[in-house]
Amino acid sequence: MATMTAAQRRQAAKAAFEEYLQVCPAHQVLEIIGSKWVSLVLSRLADGPRRYAELSRALPAASAKMLTQTLRALERDGFVTREVTPAVPVRVRYALTPLGERLVPLLAAIKQWADEHIDEIHAARARYDASRP
Amino acid sequence: MATMTAAQRRQAAKAAFEEYLQVCPAHQVLEIIGSKWVSLVLSRLADGPRRYAELSRALPAASAKMLTQTLRALERDGFVTREVTPAVPVRVRYALTPLGERLVPLLAAIKQWADEHIDEIHAARARYDASRP
DNA sequence: CCGCATCCTTGATGATACTG
DNA sequence: CAGTATCATCAAGGATGCGG
């Protein structure tokens, strides 16, 4: 049938858009770096390679599970390398790849924008909250 | 008591870090623009003011609830204005504020970075997935 | 030391129905 | 048209204990 109800058209449009989102590069990257611990881990690694326990100490609010999960995702996407030294006890070293290093300036740009505008955001927020009880 | 168990020290460090996260401008901004619909709504508004229904049609995958929630959050943080024209039926127009407009170049930078590196990310992902069954 | 497996809680998201 | 209210769902995140 060539004819669709309005509801069917909405469903089709929604499905098409969701597929588009999965392909859109900007959205994929935003999903990666917007994920809770990614920017924090990357900024630690930007200073140089770190062992697992060092990262864990530097990010005390991240549970071991989330830290591992984040590092695995970053490894999968090619941002960090994971290097295991088979000793007793084991030593695992994480470091940025060239791709990971190219991400650093972008994060720096975001940080700079944030520093420059956070006051304005807070002011807007205070105004908004004050205007409605 | 000046002495703490290791567990207590971890708790304290974690609490301190969580407080820091709430203040860190970069993290706050990342939380805003990383939220699912924000970048999409802002990029639509970057082309000019839009009515609620126009945004809804442009983003078919966003439920009315999420669209409203996103717009409210953006209004609160001072990125968009909401203008109600009392007629029958009502017309509501959303537009970027100057602050919102200053965010556009940052989003553009993210988009450009994504376009330039997405292939490498996908390649790394494929390599990783292929290396473990 | 590193980190996987398991269980569990909770907040984010979505579908649906209704109103000024 | 532009939402709000309510309920249902679900996956992210966290706590814990064990294993290599």
Side-chain angles (χ1 to χ4, degrees):
Chain A
M1 309 242 289
T3 57
M4 297 170 96
T5 67
Q8 284 172 327
R9 263 195 306 277
R10 267 196 305 277
Q11 279 300 322
K14 181 180 159 181
F17 193 88
E18 270 168 354
E19 192 176 341
Y20 155 75
L21 270 192
Q22 303 241 320
V23 188
C24 173
H27 206 256
Q28 289 180 73
V29 169
L30 215 43
E31 209 155 82
I32 294 171
I33 66 178
S35 127
K36 195 168 182 183
W37 301 105
V38 165
S39 60
L40 295 163
V41 169
L42 288 179
S43 73
R44 291 317 177 279
L45 290 178
D47 298 336
R50 292 281 181 278
R51 295 184 52 181
Y52 181 90
E54 290 178 313
L55 289 171
S56 183
R57 268 193 302 278
L59 306 171
S63 65
K65 179 184 166 182
M66 290 319 296
L67 189 54
T68 300
Q69 203 174 99
T70 303
L71 287 165
R72 282 288 178 289
L74 289 174
E75 188 194 357
R76 183 168 112 97
D77 289 346
F79 292 113
V80 308
T81 54
R82 178 172 177 271
E83 203 179 308
V84 183
T85 305
V88 181
V90 195
R91 308 169 94 256
V92 181
R93 198 184 74 138
Y94 292 94
L96 290 185
T97 63
L99 179 61
E101 268 160 23
R102 285 206 292 287
L103 188 52
V104 172
L106 183 65
L107 291 173
I110 295 173
K111 177 168 168 38
Q112 189 189 342
W113 195 98
D115 287 338
E116 283 168 4
H117 297 91
I118 193 68
D119 288 345
E120 206 170 331
I121 293 174
H122 283 159
R125 219 173 261 183
R127 257 196 313 280
Y128 185 94
D129 291 346
S131 72
R132 43 212 93 194
Chain B
M1 310 246 288
T3 57
M4 297 171 94
T5 67
Q8 283 172 328
R9 263 195 306 276
R10 267 197 304 278
Q11 278 299 321
K14 181 179 158 180
F17 192 88
E18 269 167 354
E19 191 175 341
Y20 155 74
L21 271 191
Q22 303 241 319
V23 188
C24 172
H27 206 257
Q28 288 180 73
V29 168
L30 217 41
E31 209 155 83
I32 294 171
I33 65 178
S35 127
K36 194 167 181 183
W37 301 105
V38 165
S39 61
L40 294 162
V41 168
L42 288 178
S43 74
R44 292 316 176 282
L45 291 178
D47 298 336
R50 292 282 182 275
R51 297 183 51 180
Y52 180 90
E54 291 178 312
L55 290 172
S56 183
R57 267 192 302 277
L59 306 171
S63 64
K65 180 183 166 183
M66 289 320 295
L67 188 54
T68 300
Q69 204 172 97
T70 302
L71 287 164
R72 283 287 181 289
L74 289 174
E75 188 195 356
R76 183 168 111 98
D77 289 346
F79 292 112
V80 308
T81 55
R82 178 171 176 273
E83 204 179 306
V84 183
T85 306
V88 181
V90 194
R91 309 170 95 256
V92 181
R93 199 185 73 138
Y94 291 94
L96 290 185
T97 62
L99 178 61
E101 269 160 24
R102 285 206 293 286
L103 187 53
V104 172
L106 184 65
L107 291 173
I110 295 173
K111 176 171 168 37
Q112 189 190 341
W113 195 96
D115 286 338
E116 284 168 4
H117 297 91
I118 192 69
D119 288 344
E120 205 169 334
I121 294 174
H122 283 160
R125 220 174 260 182
R127 258 195 313 280
Y128 185 93
D129 291 347
S131 71
R132 43 212 93 196

